Structure formats: structure tokens, C-alpha cells
Amino acid sequence: MDLNLSAEELAFRDEVRAFIAAELSPETREKLVLGREIGKHDFVEWQRKLNAKGWAVPHWPVEWGGQNWGPMQEYIFLDELQQAPAPSPLQFNCSMVGPVIATFGSEEQKKKFLPATANLDIWWCQGFSEPGAGSDLAGLKTTARREGDFYIINGQKTWTTLAQYADWIFVLARTNPQAEKKQQGISFILVDMKTPGVTVRPIQLIDGGREVNEVWFDEVKVPAENLVGQENRGWDYAKFLLTNERMGIARIGVSKQRIRRIKELAKSERYGDTQLLDQPWFREKLVSVEIELKALEITQLRVLAEARKRGKHGEADPNSSILKIKGSELQQVTTELMMDVMGPFVLPFAASMDDEDRTNEPPIGPDYAASAGPTYFNSRKISIYGGSNEIQRNIIAKAILGF
Amino acid sequence: MDFDFSDDQKLLKESVGKLMASRYGDFEKRKGYQTHTNGFDPAVWAEYAEAGILSLPFSEEQGGFGGGPVETMIVMEEMGTALAVEPYLACVVLAGAVLKYGKADDKIPEIATGEAIVALANIERSSRYDLNDVSLPAKLDGTAYVLEGEKSVVLGGGAADYFIVATRTSGNRRDVDGITLLLVDAKSPGISRRGYPTQDGQHAAEVSFGSVRVPVANVIGEVGKGLPILARAVDEAIAGLCAEAVGAMDALVKMTVEYLKTRKQFGVAIGSFQALQHRSVDMLVMLEQARSMAIYAALSVDDADEVARGNAISAAKVQIGRSAKFIGQQSVQLHGGIGVTMEYKAGHYFKRLTMIEQMFGDSDYHMRKLAASGAAIAA
Ligand SMILES: Cc1cc2nc3c(=O)[nH]c(=O)nc-3n(C[C@H](O)[C@H](O)[C@H](O)COP(=O)(O)OP(=O)(O)OC[C@H]3O[C@@H](n4cnc5c(N)ncnc54)[C@H](O)[C@@H]3O)c2cc1C
Ligand SMILES: Cc1cc2nc3c(=O)[nH]c(=O)nc-3n(C[C@H](O)[C@H](O)[C@H](O)COP(=O)(O)OP(=O)(O)OC[C@H]3O[C@@H](n4cnc5c(N)ncnc54)[C@H](O)[C@@H]3O)c2cc1C
């Protein structure tokens, strides 16, 4: 047993750190530090820099830009990005649709999409959830009817993150309504957002931001060659995708970075005749979270060590549900701590944290206070999406405890 | 021991409930009110005046209705259920209490009739929740005090016709003595303000005072002895806020349970999952704990023993904060995605409850206050 990184791993960590320090735009970093929303431009610029370095899609097959890193190296990489803080490569592209196309797509699809997906020349969004199909994803109702060389898609997707930026959407649609099990009649189809009949409507979230959308399909005509893999096998590809998504889902680096920031701010926050950070009760609260974070990090490393033993495309590990539950809770708790720093200045609402809504008005109170409340409100989504924490508990109950 | 409302109190509850339902029954109306300057519709305020609730906590001699803390609790609970946006707490309960206990009766009729809005300006950039942490100087110059400085997060400050400003007339920044409360006409030369919405859809303002002259006759209470009045008024506001939180939590728990009974996934109502039933039960337990402490707060706020009163209020605020956090977070969670959207009401309750926990001292603050006073909660 050894908790230390190897010499190579340490050297790699330093290399990543140096690269971020040299290449990340200070504006993008500042937005992340202040808890402001980052825009399309921030994502694209950064991902292209990563891609030029060969780091946008390290976990893809080598012929499509992968690096053949081990799970530990992938973890170090993501952790450094999160702690910098820097944007992660767009997950819809890099962890979701990319690996699906690389694994199940046709040669033409790979050539057409993979390089552009890695470079963020194409922005993808995820068209899975529907108003009636959230936790019960297989209950989806959107249909794709085959007509000659085309599929005709009808239905409604919802909660589609950043669809307003997207060029393409990957959709789960029902191609065989008669299938015996509802999971069996679903297909995975790629749709150009510019196709007539696709409508995007923003949904405003409680923090005032507009990161999610409804996407409507009205007789949308899609070439049949945009089907990924086989018809009616889309559920298998979706499960494969969701397994890939688990990598780094705990986002421990994000919580670490936020705690560091809290300490920095609490040092300058006057508290009676002292600083907030000098208050023993406040330190106890911080330490209490740091203990859990340390435990989770080691748990994460144990899960990765297991993954390394099983090889890259092993079975989904139900232990990653532990990472999701605890990781989301800790991300949420750190946003609560951040509010505690602000005192009464949590209250003022300074328009939205959206890039486009920002005004030039001076901040009310300290300039870092404005995002504390909205970030907390917004963080409640983390235990809802990507399989809610209740669904994760169901998975653990079944797959680990044997109920 | 008696937990029942009197007949008059029942009547009050019913009539305020009806009024709030007519103004807030349709959630879209609330959005409309928020588009007004200062975040509320003066027409609704006028209706409150007509219904007599603006005069509720003042004695008959002061031009009021003679209501006590239980009456305020009743009204505030209805405000919480409705998610009302008018500055009732800020003006009638909080500023009203300062005037009441500072024996500055002459502005009370203007509040009671809805003619004037009064707001308390006590928070400064680094005072956090300490009421004694006051720097803004008021220097005596002939027959006037001259005010210089800034006040922050003044609840209802955008609409205020008068401010009650906590100023420092002697001693140092955190001294208990030397705080003087001044009633300041908001139209006085040298005052500028910046109103803004708060995270929970209510309204506050930053107010700055540049050589503002205030006649010495406008001192509320005694010179240098403002703190006990301020503390008592804030305790009364906290008691009101606790009741508001109970109203909001009660509505939110009901709303969530209703949602679980109607939302279907996997072919069944999600409320059929025992995990979600138990979570709802835990929410209910937290609600009842909060309700009990809101009653405790209302029945303690007139306690002549200042320390006992403060302890009771702090204890209530901590319980309310805990319950508000749990119920707010869990109701959003149990709603799934819809819970984090702007168009749906649950998220707005969640935001209000979150801000209630932060106002007038968060849970940490009141825990430490209680611990410092010897951890003494009256048996
Ligand atoms: C901000 C945000 C971004 C999102 N982005 C995307 C996206 O880009 N693309 C996409 O396709 N989807 C996206 N989603 C959708 C997300 O995956 C769903 O919200 C999630 O699956 C939950 O579904 P639901 O909201 O319909 O809630 P429901 O499924 O209705 O769940 C309501 C409550 O019931 C609980 N519950 C449900 N079933 C069970 C059960 N069997 N046992 C116990 N409890 C249960 C849930 O945990 C939850 O607490 C996003 C959601 C959010 C909030
Ligand atoms: C100190 C002590 C004193 C007692 N004194 C008395 C006494 O004086 N007279 C007497 O008659 N009995 C007495 N009891 C017995 C007591 O009433 C039982 O222990 C109790 O009813 C639980 O039954 P069980 O122990 O068989 O546990 P089980 O019923 O087997 O329960 C085991 C666990 O499953 C949970 N569980 C069971 N059913 C459900 C469900 N439907 N949904 C969710 N969870 C469920 C329980 O909450 C528990 O956590 C005593 C027990 C103790 C420990």
C-alpha cells in the first residue's frame, strides 16, 4: 500500500500544471474563480488549446487522438484542471458522444465527427431526458419513424444543457414502439440542430441563468446514415455513455478549489476584531468538510485502482455511485460554506451570473459576494442530474448490497 | 398551557389568509408585483392598510390595532405561505418596533395608514450580524447631527420615506454605548440610494449619507442608548421571520407531497417509493419542530428579561434555520429538475428560506451567541 504518486505521475502533474499556467486565458480563469458563468468562447478557446496539445480527448482510442493514459493519469489531469480552475473539455463531446461514435459508429461517422468533436468545431448537446422521462429514461416518447433513407423525428426533449450553443444533438428516440421491453425499441441518432423542425426554448433556472433548454422536434427529417450502430440498440449505447460519464463525476478538484478560495476570502473578511478565518468555529466547519473530501479522494483513488486492474473497458463499477453521492453532496456543502463567508452580503441579487446579462454596475458589497447565493441555488442540480442521488442509492442497493 | 387561537385571532387568520390568497393565489401575479419600482405594488400595500394589518402591532393610542406577538405571528405566517414581496417585515414589524420601543410615536400613524414606509439602516460593510458594530458617525453641529457614511442591505430601503439610521455618536466601532438611532427623512439633501432585488425576490438598498443634517429632535430613544432598542426590535423581527418561514415551509412540504402523489415515473407515482415517503416524513418532523420554535419565539419576545428573551429568539432562529435548510433542499431534490426552475414555485420558497436563514444572524451566529451566554435556554 502506498498513497503517494509515482515519480512519473508527479512529473506528469507538474507538466499539466505548467501547461495550464501558461495557456489558460486569465479572463476565463477569473470567471471560474468568481463563480460567473463561462461562455461558449471560453470553452472553445480552451478546448482547442488542449486539443493542440493532444489533451482534449485522452481517453479516446489512440487513432482518434487518445493518449492511452491509465485511469490515474486521467484523474490527475482532471484534478489539475478543476483545481486551477480551468474548464474541463466539454463533456457532451468528450465523455459522451465521442466515445459512443468511436466505439459503435461507422467509419464515415468517425471521420466526419471525431476530429471536429475533439476540437470543439462541433458543439454537441445531450437529448435524452423528456418531461415524462427523467429518472425513468427508458420511458421516453420521442419517435423516429423510418421513411426511405430518412428518419422523421417527433417529440420533445428537455433539460438540454447548453443547447443554445449546440451545432448537433445526440438523441434517444423510439424506433420500435411495439418492442416487448421499452428499452428495446430505442435508437441513438445524431441530428444537426439546423434541420428544419428543431426548436430550442430556454428554461431559466432559479439562479437566473439559462443553461438548460427544451428542444422540440416537429417532423424533423434526418438522413438514415445518422443512426449510430444498429437500430433499436440505442439503450446499450446510452448505458455505455452513462458509464463513461462517471469518470471524475465526484469533481473533487472543484470542491478543493472552492475550499481554498473560501480560506482566502475568510482571511480578508473582518469578523468583530479579528478575521473570519481566525474564528475557531469557522475553522472547524472547514476542517469537517476537508476530512470528508480527503476520504472521498482516497475512495476515488481506490475505485480507479480497481479500474486499472480490470482494464479500460471493464464493466461499470457500482462503486462509482458512491462517488456521485458523496461528491455531489460535498460540492453542495462547499457552496454553503461560501455563503457563510459573505454574511449579509449574500442577499443582494446582481442581475444574473450569465455572461450576456452582466451589467457594468459596481458590485454591492465585496465583488465576490454576488455569486455566492446563485452558486448555492444552482448547485442543487448536482444531486439531480446524471442519475439522481436516489437513483444512485437504488443502484448501490441492488448491485452492491444484493437487494 | 394553551395553544389555541382566540376567536379574534382565528378571525384575523382567516381574513389575512383570504386577502393573501386573492393577491397571491395566482403565482403569475407575484411576478407582476416584482416588476414595480422597489419590487412591490403600492396598490397591494394600500389593501394591507385598508385591512388593518399595517396598524396591527401598534397600540390603540399609537393609532394601531393593539395586536401582540401572536397576531404578528399569524400575519407573518400567511405572508410566508403567499411568498409576499411587500416590505411588511421591514417596515411594520422591524422599523415599527424601533419606533414603538424608542417612544417615537409620531411616525407610527403614517405607517399604520400606509402613507409612509420606514426602513431600518443599521448594517455596514464589516458589521456582519453584530448590532453593536456601528461606525457611521453622527457629529453634533448646533441643533443637528451630521451623518457621513454608508449603510448596506437596508431592507425595504428602496421605497423608504424615512430611514432609521444607527449612528455612532460616541465611543468606538464596537462599543455597546454610544449608538444613537436617528429618524432621517429620505428626501434630505445628501442622501443617495441604490435599490436592488434580493436573491429571494424581495428588495433592499444601499444608502449613502453625504453630510446629511438631521435635527436633534429626531433622536429615537436616548442619545448613545440606541442598542437595547435596536436589539429588541430585531428580536421582534426574528420572531416574525420565524413565523414567515413556517408559513413557507408548510406550503412547501404540502406542495412536495402533492407532487410526489401525482408525478409518475416507472409507471407509478414516485410517492410510492418508501425512500421518498420517509424523506417527506423527515421534512414534516422538521416543520413541526420549526413551528414549535416559532411559537416559542412569539411567546418569548415580550419577556422582560432581556437575556432570556435573546436566548429564546436565538434558539428559535437556529431551529428555523436548520428546518428551512433541510426542507428547502429536500423539496427541490424530490421535485427533480422542475425544482430548480424559475417558473415553478418550489424554487422560490427554497430561495426565500435560504435567505431567511442568513438574515439577522445565520444559524452559526445564533449558536455562538447562545453558547456565549452560558448555553442557557430556559427550561
Ligand atoms: C440542470 C440540469 C441539467 C440537465 N442536463 C441534461 C442534459 O443535458 N441532457 C439530458 O438528457 N438531461 C439533462 N438533465 C435531466 C436529468 O438527467 C433529470 O433531471 C434527472 O434524470 C431526473 O429526472 P426528473 O427531473 O424528471 O425527476 P424525476 O425522475 O421525476 O424524479 C423526481 C424525484 O423522484 C426521485 N425518484 C425517481 N425515481 C425514483 C426511484 N425509483 N426511487 C427513489 N426515488 C426516485 C428522484 O430522485 C427525484 O428526487 C438535466 C437536469 C438538470 C436539473
Ligand atoms: C429495549 C427494548 C424493549 C422492548 N420492550 C418491549 C415490551 O416491553 N413489550 C413488547 O411487546 N415489545 C418490546 N420490544 C420489542 C419491540 O417492540 C420490537 O423490537 C419492535 O417492534 C421491532 O421489532 P423487531 O425487533 O422484530 O424488528 P423488525 O420488525 O424485524 O425490524 C427490523 C428493522 O426493519 C425495520 N422495518 C420493519 N418493517 C419495516 C417497514 N415496513 N418499512 C420500513 N422499515 C421497516 C425496522 O424499523 C427495523 O429497523 C422491545 C424492544 C427493545 C429493543
Side-chain angles (χ1 to χ4, degrees):
Chain A
M1 277 207 187
D2 184 2
L3 275 177
N4 296 311
L5 299 182
S6 69
E8 298 84 65
E9 286 163 344
L10 282 173
F12 175 68
R13 188 195 66 190
D14 292 344
E15 189 190 355
V16 175
R17 205 171 277 182
F19 178 80
I20 297 171
E23 298 292 331
L24 179 63
S25 121
E27 291 81 39
T28 303
R29 184 175 176 278
E30 158 134 328
K31 283 186 210 172
L32 287 167
V33 168
L34 289 176
R36 293 184 187 148
E37 234 162 72
I38 54 173
K40 181 170 189 174
H41 169 75
D42 299 285
F43 275 106
V44 171
E45 183 187 75
W46 178 235
Q47 185 156 332
R48 289 191 183 153
K49 283 184 183 168
L50 286 176
N51 198 38
K53 174 86 178 161
W55 287 354
V57 289
H59 52 293
W60 286 13
V62 172
E63 60 169 319
W64 296 111
Q67 289 287 350
N68 226 347
W69 289 347
M72 194 58 220
Q73 212 172 345
E74 276 182 41
Y75 176 71
I76 292 169
F77 177 66
L78 281 182
D79 192 56
E80 285 301 320
L81 289 183
Q82 289 165 359
Q83 288 208 59
S88 295
L90 190 69
Q91 56 166 344
F92 308 109
N93 285 36
C94 303
S95 326
M96 294 187 182
V97 76
V100 168
I101 293 175
T103 311
F104 306 104
S106 66
E107 273 319 298
E108 293 75 56
Q109 285 172 341
K110 290 179 193 173
K111 282 200 201 96
K112 177 173 176 189
F113 291 116
L114 289 181
T117 298
N119 205 43
L120 205 39
D121 298 334
I122 297 176
W123 185 297
W124 289 93
C125 64
Q126 180 188 20
F128 282 13
S129 301
E130 298 180 4
S135 297
D136 180 17
L137 182 57
L140 60 91
K141 291 206 168 67
T142 297
T143 56
R145 159 182 105 237
R146 184 74 187 246
E147 275 183 14
D149 290 338
F150 292 90
Y151 286 104
I152 313 294
I153 301 183
N154 280 289
Q156 186 203 342
K157 296 294 174 181
T158 192
W159 311 124
T160 321
T161 298
L162 301 181
Q164 70 267 38
Y165 298 157
D167 306 298
W168 284 73
I169 180 168
F170 50 98
V171 172
L172 289 182
R174 201 163 287 289
T175 34
N176 179 11
Q178 268 78 51
E180 207 172 294
K181 282 182 68 187
K182 55 188 182 177
Q183 286 82 355
Q184 284 166 351
I186 295 170
S187 296
F188 194 112
I189 302 173
L190 312 176
V191 182
D192 186 335
M193 295 289 281
K194 289 187 296 296
T195 319
V198 177
T199 312
V200 177
R201 288 187 201 145
I203 300 175
Q204 202 178 19
L205 295 189
I206 45 176
D207 61 346
R210 292 182 201 80
E211 64 189 68
V212 299
N213 303 271
E214 295 177 338
V215 181
W216 298 73
F217 296 85
D218 178 16
E219 292 288 304
V220 175
K221 198 169 166 190
V222 180
E225 71 220 33
N226 289 3
L227 172 77
V228 175
Q230 296 170 26
E231 199 176 79
N232 297 328
R233 293 287 303 276
W235 188 253
D236 295 340
Y237 313 144
K239 277 202 311 197
F240 168 88
L241 176 153
L242 295 172
T243 310
N244 271 300
E245 197 192 338
R246 300 260 169 83
M247 181 70 188
I249 199 159
R251 310 211 324 148
I252 293 166
V254 170
S255 295
K256 281 190 203 161
Q257 191 272 333
R258 195 172 287 122
I259 287 189
R260 214 167 40 228
R261 176 82 179 147
I262 289 167
K263 286 183 181 167
E264 224 172 83
L265 297 178
K267 208 180 283 175
S268 59
E269 182 69 19
R270 192 144 81 158
Y271 192 92
D273 291 322
T274 70
Q275 311 305 333
L276 179 58
L277 193 61
D278 294 335
Q279 293 293 310
W281 63 271
F282 188 74
R283 288 185 176 215
E284 280 168 24
K285 284 186 80 165
L286 273 177
V287 167
S288 165
V289 175
E290 284 180 302
I291 291 168
E292 291 226 51
L293 205 53
K294 188 67 186 170
L296 185 64
E297 184 167 37
I298 297 175
T299 307
Q300 164 98 63
L301 294 173
R302 285 167 55 213
V303 171
L304 288 174
E306 278 303 310
R308 175 150 52 184
K309 280 189 218 152
R310 279 199 317 272
K312 275 217 105 171
H313 291 291
E315 281 288 283
D317 181 355
N319 282 303
S320 60
S321 292
I322 298 177
L323 303 177
K324 165 77 198 317
I325 292 172
K326 206 66 220 177
S328 58
E329 287 175 357
L330 287 175
Q331 285 177 69
Q332 292 169 335
V333 165
T334 56
T335 67
E336 289 173 28
L337 280 175
M338 186 63 99
M339 281 201 300
D340 291 343
V341 175
M342 309 308 163
F345 290 98
V346 169
L347 254 84
F349 177 76
S352 136
M353 296 291 104
D354 250 356
D355 237 11
E356 45 190 299
D357 288 351
R358 293 193 57 75
T359 62
N360 289 324
E361 296 233 350
I364 296 154
D367 68 346
Y368 47 77
S371 66
T375 303
Y376 167 69
F377 300 143
N378 186 277
S379 80
R380 302 315 303 174
K381 73 186 179 190
I382 308 171
S383 49
I384 294 171
Y385 65 33
S388 75
N389 282 16
E390 288 74 26
I391 295 300
Q392 304 297 339
R393 287 185 175 91
N394 289 349
I395 292 172
I396 294 172
K398 267 209 188 104
I400 302 181
L401 301 177
F403 286 110
Chain B
M1 179 111 358
D2 177 10
F3 287 110
D4 294 331
F5 290 139
S6 70
D7 286 344
D8 282 348
Q9 289 167 341
K10 280 183 201 152
L11 223 59
L12 175 69
K13 186 170 171 55
E14 198 181 310
S15 70
V16 177
K18 263 194 202 140
L19 174 61
M20 299 314 286
S22 76
R23 288 293 143 244
Y24 281 93
D26 170 5
F27 190 54
E28 288 303 309
K29 283 190 183 164
R30 180 177 186 265
K31 291 178 196 164
Y33 302 150
Q34 290 172 313
T35 61
H36 286 260
T37 329
N38 304 320
F40 70 98
D41 184 350
V44 177
W45 194 249
E47 280 184 84
Y48 288 176
E50 207 170 308
I53 58 177
L54 299 185
S55 62
L56 186 78
F58 307 112
S59 70
E60 277 156 38
E61 305 83 74
Q62 290 163 324
F65 176 90
V70 175
E71 280 73 18
T72 298
M73 178 178 84
I74 289 170
V75 174
M76 285 309 302
E77 193 174 332
E78 296 298 332
M79 297 267 164
T81 304
L83 265 182
V85 294
E86 299 78 25
Y88 188 82
L89 181 86
C91 172
V92 180
V93 181
L94 178 58
V98 175
L99 296 176
K100 211 163 46 174
Y101 300 120
K103 309 215 163 31
D105 288 0
D106 44 329
K107 284 289 166 250
I108 288 177
E110 287 183 49
I111 292 184
T113 54
E115 276 164 68
I117 294 209
V118 185
L120 174 66
N122 67 303
I123 297 173
E124 297 178 5
R125 170 61 190 90
S126 56
S127 61
R128 291 184 73 94
Y129 302 119
D130 288 333
L131 299 177
N132 59 307
D133 197 319
V134 172
S135 297
L136 192 141
K139 296 231 167 66
L140 196 56
D141 178 26
T143 56
Y145 283 103
V146 182
L147 274 57
E148 196 73 54
E150 263 110 52
K151 291 289 181 179
S152 285
V153 201
V154 177
L155 303 174
D161 300 290
Y162 301 95
F163 295 109
I164 295 166
V165 187
T167 67
R168 171 92 25 220
T169 44
S170 66
N172 295 314
R173 181 182 140 232
R174 292 177 58 77
D175 287 353
V176 167
D177 287 324
I179 294 170
T180 301
L181 301 173
L182 290 169
L183 184 76
V184 183
D185 191 326
K187 292 189 294 296
S188 310
I191 291 187
S192 63
R193 63 180 133 182
R194 179 174 163 206
Y196 49 82
T198 48
Q199 299 291 349
D200 47 15
Q202 306 222 347
H203 236 256
E206 301 294 290
V207 186
S208 74
F209 301 84
S211 304
V212 174
R213 295 184 69 84
V214 182
V216 287
N218 286 19
V219 171
I220 298 173
E222 286 174 51
V223 173
K225 299 262 177 279
L227 187 60
I229 299 171
L230 197 58
R232 169 135 203 208
V234 167
D235 281 351
E236 212 156 298
I238 292 175
L241 198 63
C242 289
E244 183 187 343
V246 167
M249 285 189 267
D250 184 81
L252 190 50
V253 170
K254 285 195 179 112
M255 199 175 169
T256 305
V257 169
E258 195 49 42
Y259 189 76
L260 295 183
K261 287 178 182 170
T262 46
R263 168 71 173 170
K264 285 202 167 132
Q265 287 289 275
F266 305 100
V268 296
I270 56 176
S272 64
F273 303 127
Q274 198 180 43
L276 303 190
Q277 291 173 3
H278 283 188
R279 199 84 58 84
S280 311
V281 170
D282 290 341
M283 287 164 66
L284 183 78
V285 171
M286 288 301 254
L287 167 63
E288 293 309 329
Q289 290 286 85
R291 197 190 302 279
S292 296
M293 288 308 257
I295 294 171
Y296 181 51
L299 299 183
S300 305
V301 80
D302 277 343
D303 197 324
D305 179 345
E306 247 172 74
V307 176
R309 183 195 77 213
N311 285 348
I313 293 295
S314 286
K317 185 69 175 37
V318 171
Q319 179 62 53
I320 292 291
R322 286 178 181 165
S323 294
K325 181 175 276 175
F326 183 78
I327 290 172
Q329 292 181 348
Q330 293 308 323
S331 59
V332 167
Q333 180 68 22
L334 297 195
H335 274 88
I338 189 105
V340 291
T341 62
M342 200 66 121
E343 65 173 300
Y344 192 69
K345 201 171 178 183
H348 295 269
Y349 280 121
F350 167 56
K351 290 200 280 187
R352 177 65 185 151
L353 288 169
T354 303
M355 291 305 128
I356 285 177
E357 198 205 335
Q358 305 290 329
M359 286 164 75
F360 304 121
D362 56 18
S363 300
D364 286 326
Y365 176 83
H366 286 286
M367 285 275 279
R368 291 182 39 259
K369 202 168 155 226
L370 266 172
S373 87
I377 299 169

